[in-house]
Amino acid sequence: MSERDFRDVRVRVAENRFISGKLWFMRLEPLGSVPKPKAGQFLMLEVSSTYDPMGRRAFAIADYDDKSLWIYYDVVGRGTGLMSLFREGKEVRAFLPLGKGLFNYEGDRHLLIGGGVGLAGLTLLGKELRTLGKEVVFVYGAKSKEHLGMLEWLKREGFEYILYTDDGSVGRRGYVVEALRDFGKDWQISACGPYPMLKALYSQAKKTGHRLYLSLESRMACGWGVCLGCVIKSSEGKFLRVCYEGPVFNAESVRL
Amino acid sequence: MADLSIELFGIRFKNPVWVASGTFGYGIEATRIYDVSKLGAVVTKGISLRPRPGNETPRIIETPCGMLNSIGLQNPGVESFLKELYPQIEKIDTHFIANVFGESEEEYVEVCLALESAHKIVAYELNVSCPNVKKGGIVFGHDPKVLGSLVERIKAKIRKPLLVKLSPNVSDITEFAKVCVDSGADGLVLINTLLGMRINIRKARPELSTKTGGLSGPAILPVAVRMIWQTFERFGFRIPIVGVGGITTHEDALEHIYAGASAVQVGTANFYEPFAPLKVIEGLREFMEREGVESFSKLVGKAHRLDIKGDVNLSQKTLQDSFRKGGDTECRP
């Protein structure tokens, strides 16, 4: 019998605040014991105690402290809309830690590329790599300045970073994919963000010869491997579960 | 402690709470959440003769109090199931029921035959109601004659009990239930998903890759309860009914049971409430203790008592006898 490492725990909302753009930040205090999350893992958060909406929502565990787990979320629909109304002290259920954190830890220099709220899928990785003594640079891109709300985290943690915005309102004007030109092949790339961004990175990394790992987002019903809703095609054409085999994949092993 | 154990088609189950096909994989992932042997039974994800890749994405979309899915019976095929997955489920101390799918009568028979010697598989659940595949499945579930012939043919070849999971996307489900009873099915599973559709108005196109999908979740509870009610009203205890559709809590399960279900399956709730099946088991146990019900079978079909002519307080023995004999208590007034 395998270890019971998936926990469904009550969590208390310790902080829930708007940052900028569509981005919100929530700190959740588990009221039971939870295994220490690894980079790339996520949780499924109950957003309503009624059945409407019914499903839980998947969020990368962006960071944690002694008492709480941190998530960043964009308010994009009814579920996240309800979450933005959570008051401090509210208790909901969270199922965690889910997914395998199979990032690439090889090599000494790591470029972590996040698009929008996708950066939350890479923050723990940055900390883990730094603990291992590796050189870490974050590349963070979005439409415009107000969509780079996780900058507060990068600054507080003291990471080196490069910013890109579509409109040039802050950082470099352009797309994060351009960063690959400025970093040699000895830089390992991990990325998380919207699919068009990941696709662009994939074709660019092919040209430049960079090793690329992706943390994927997908529509999920269960988060623990049984609904088969979140699948992505492997390079051999078989469907893999983003929630269970992933969400982190070597870019060579999947078809975006 | 209240006795939740039941006997159906000659098999003893720890309790009447099972997990539904397609919502629990093959029971392996769930061992990371809780002790799967606490469940009455695990109904496997659909198994076909050959591997099936499943449908393109998007495969799921949320709906009010439910969801649509169109997975397309993605599964590794029966051979690979037996070689790679079956050894892992052998360690789980509860019954498994194989959900079996085929594109032809012959394929259904072959899958069942391949599973005959797998002792953990105690019965088959015939999938004739998946709305998301082009060939097979629902073709058998939407024509009573075709269904009758399939059930008869499989029954003639196998030793294990055969349950038939019926489609709710028909005008009179009891006609399909009748065909199953007449063809020698050992049990009915009511209901599979309801055919539905959603359109993404931003993109002005269907949300799912296959356009339509199967609706499940709390939204379908009343449809399941109604269909169980109608089927029980017509056949009573002549054939056991396993209720599935919209069950999250033991109260939901009781609606199915009072309508005539002898066992229930928790389905979509596994996605948003991973502990739902265990909570239903505990909830039923507490309910029975609180209400002084010694035996679960006393609850089955209870809401029909005013409609049933004759003995309304059937004893457990009577009920079990009627199952064993194939039933003789036609309950239609």
Side-chain angles (χ1 to χ4, degrees):
Chain A
M1 204 63 55
S2 56
E3 192 201 342
R4 304 236 159 81
D5 54 347
F6 289 167
R7 308 279 167 80
D8 189 31
V9 290
R10 287 203 82 74
V11 292
R12 184 184 296 128
V13 177
E15 188 179 347
N16 186 24
R17 70 181 158 83
F18 174 68
I19 301 177
S20 64
K22 294 181 284 185
L23 190 69
W24 285 66
F25 170 74
M26 197 185 284
R27 222 155 38 78
L28 300 161
E29 288 177 4
L31 303 179
S33 77
V34 292
K36 196 172 142 185
K38 283 185 296 187
Q41 290 189 307
F42 64 97
L43 55 79
M44 295 290 285
L45 192 71
E46 175 190 61
V47 295
S48 165
S49 53
T50 70
Y51 301 136
D52 197 16
M54 175 186 80
R56 298 194 186 191
R57 299 294 187 265
F59 299 101
I61 302 169
D63 204 346
Y64 56 87
D65 55 35
D66 299 345
K67 278 169 87 181
S68 58
L69 302 161
W70 304 6
I71 61 170
Y72 289 87
Y73 64 100
D74 271 346
V75 173
V76 290
R78 291 182 59 220
T80 45
L82 285 171
M83 281 170 61
S84 70
L85 303 174
F86 285 6
R87 303 238 180 137
E88 273 171 40
K90 182 180 173 71
E91 288 180 20
V92 291
R93 297 203 78 88
F95 193 48
L96 75 154
L98 302 170
K100 293 187 174 110
L102 295 176
F103 275 114
N104 170 23
Y105 292 84
E106 287 168 28
D108 294 325
R109 313 171 95 185
H110 288 260
L111 197 61
L112 310 187
I113 306 180
V117 71
L119 190 76
L122 301 168
T123 43
L124 267 188
L125 176 65
K127 287 178 98 171
E128 287 180 2
L129 289 167
R130 186 164 64 183
T131 308
L132 293 169
K134 318 252 175 174
E135 191 178 350
V136 178
V137 175
F138 277 93
V139 177
Y140 185 22
K143 263 193 301 200
S144 59
K145 191 180 171 187
E146 77 253 29
H147 294 286
L148 292 175
M150 286 185 68
L151 198 54
E152 59 173 40
W153 184 90
L154 288 173
K155 283 182 178 165
R156 193 176 49 237
E157 287 295 322
F159 277 105
E160 202 181 312
Y161 59 82
I162 301 162
L163 305 178
Y164 282 87
T165 49
D166 299 3
D167 63 358
S169 49
V170 70
R172 301 180 189 176
R173 185 193 200 112
Y175 300 109
V176 291
V177 61
E178 290 156 25
L180 290 197
R181 289 195 221 126
D182 307 332
F183 291 85
K185 269 203 317 198
D186 58 325
W187 285 81
Q188 313 289 322
I189 318 287
S190 298
C192 183
Y195 273 68
M197 175 194 116
L198 300 183
K199 276 186 182 169
L201 276 173
Y202 177 73
S203 29
Q204 186 64 21
K206 273 249 176 235
K207 284 183 215 152
T208 53
H210 282 98
R211 266 182 91 186
L212 174 66
Y213 276 70
L214 306 172
S215 182
L216 302 180
E217 253 197 307
S218 184
R219 212 182 261 172
M220 282 176 195
C222 72
W224 58 280
V226 292
C227 78
L228 307 185
C230 67
V231 295
I232 179 136
K233 242 181 209 156
S234 74
S235 45
E236 287 105 49
K238 273 175 87 172
F239 283 114
L240 302 172
R241 296 166 289 185
V242 170
C243 73
Y244 204 77
E245 274 82 36
V248 180
F249 296 95
N250 181 335
E252 292 297 330
S253 68
V254 289
R255 288 187 206 160
L256 289 178
Chain B
M1 216 151 75
D3 181 16
L4 272 179
S5 71
I6 54 163
E7 194 180 312
L8 293 177
F9 25 86
I11 296 164
R12 196 93 205 145
F13 293 87
K14 290 178 191 186
N15 62 61
V17 182
W18 307 353
V19 284
S21 181
T23 66
F24 209 74
Y26 301 91
I28 297 157
E29 293 84 358
T31 60
R32 294 177 66 176
I33 310 176
Y34 57 75
D35 182 2
V36 176
S37 66
K38 287 184 176 166
L39 300 173
V42 173
V43 187
T44 69
K45 169 83 186 148
I47 302 172
S48 53
L49 188 59
R50 278 176 287 277
R52 293 181 60 93
N55 293 336
E56 292 295 324
T57 54
R59 292 175 165 188
I60 52 172
I61 182 72
E62 207 165 36
T63 64
C65 298
M67 64 181 281
L68 289 171
N69 86 80
S70 180
I71 308 302
L73 288 164
Q74 176 181 337
N75 83 98
V78 70
E79 198 180 310
S80 183
F81 164 76
L82 283 169
K83 214 161 75 192
E84 281 148 39
L85 302 169
Y86 184 72
Q88 297 180 61
I89 68 171
E90 266 193 305
K91 298 172 215 148
I92 302 170
D93 180 27
T94 191
H95 293 320
F96 279 73
I97 294 168
N99 181 283
V100 170
F101 169 81
E103 289 186 2
S104 64
E105 276 193 10
E106 199 45 54
E107 276 191 21
Y108 276 101
V109 172
E110 276 190 60
V111 178
C112 292
L113 287 178
L115 297 168
E116 278 285 270
S117 55
H119 71 278
K120 288 297 289 184
I121 309 283
V122 298
Y124 307 113
E125 179 183 270
L126 215 54
N127 185 347
V128 290
S129 43
C130 175
N132 302 323
V133 291
K134 286 200 187 97
K135 280 161 90 185
I138 211 152
V139 175
F140 294 94
H142 279 178
D143 182 334
K145 271 194 207 134
V146 177
L147 180 61
S149 143
L150 176 70
V151 171
E152 250 170 50
R153 176 136 178 225
I154 299 172
K155 270 305 282 181
K157 297 267 173 70
I158 60 165
R159 286 175 291 114
K160 291 175 186 171
L162 182 67
L163 317 185
V164 186
K165 187 168 183 179
L166 294 180
S167 168
N169 305 306
V170 295
S171 53
D172 181 3
I173 201 163
T174 69
E175 282 305 304
F176 291 83
K178 183 174 190 315
V179 164
C180 293
V181 172
D182 294 345
S183 321
D186 299 281
L188 298 171
V189 182
L190 268 60
I191 57 178
N192 208 317
T193 56
L194 289 143
L195 197 57
M197 184 170 184
R198 284 207 88 173
I199 287 173
N200 182 317
I201 54 168
R202 201 164 46 82
K203 297 177 185 162
R205 66 174 188 224
E207 286 277 10
L208 297 175
S209 70
T210 50
K211 301 181 183 83
T212 60
L215 180 67
S216 66
I220 73 165
L221 180 97
V223 182
V225 170
R226 184 261 292 182
M227 290 186 163
I228 293 164
W229 175 278
Q230 290 175 322
T231 306
F232 188 85
E233 196 173 49
R234 180 153 173 193
F235 300 102
F237 291 105
R238 266 213 278 168
I239 186 162
I241 299 168
V242 180
V244 53
I247 298 176
T248 309
T249 64
H250 79 278
E251 286 99 337
D252 302 332
L254 278 172
E255 287 201 45
H256 279 241
I257 294 158
Y258 284 172
S262 294
V264 293
Q265 296 179 1
V266 177
T268 300
N270 289 308
F271 300 160
Y272 58 87
E273 191 63 61
F275 279 88
L278 297 192
K279 287 179 183 167
V280 172
I281 295 169
E282 272 327 294
L284 284 176
R285 199 189 305 282
E286 280 165 23
F287 170 82
M288 284 169 62
E289 275 159 16
R290 199 169 56 240
E291 299 298 319
V293 183
E294 341 53 283
S295 152
F296 173 79
S297 48
K298 292 226 162 136
L299 302 172
V300 177
K302 199 173 171 186
H304 288 265
R305 67 194 185 286
L306 298 177
D307 294 343
I308 300 173
K309 285 180 181 164
D311 189 359
V312 293
N313 285 313
L314 300 172
S315 71
Q316 186 183 12
K317 193 170 176 314
T318 316
L319 295 187
Q320 281 178 358
D321 284 351
S322 81
F323 281 140
R324 222 166 272 135
K325 280 185 255 161
D328 54 2
T329 46
E330 172 97 334
C331 289
R332 191 166 218 183

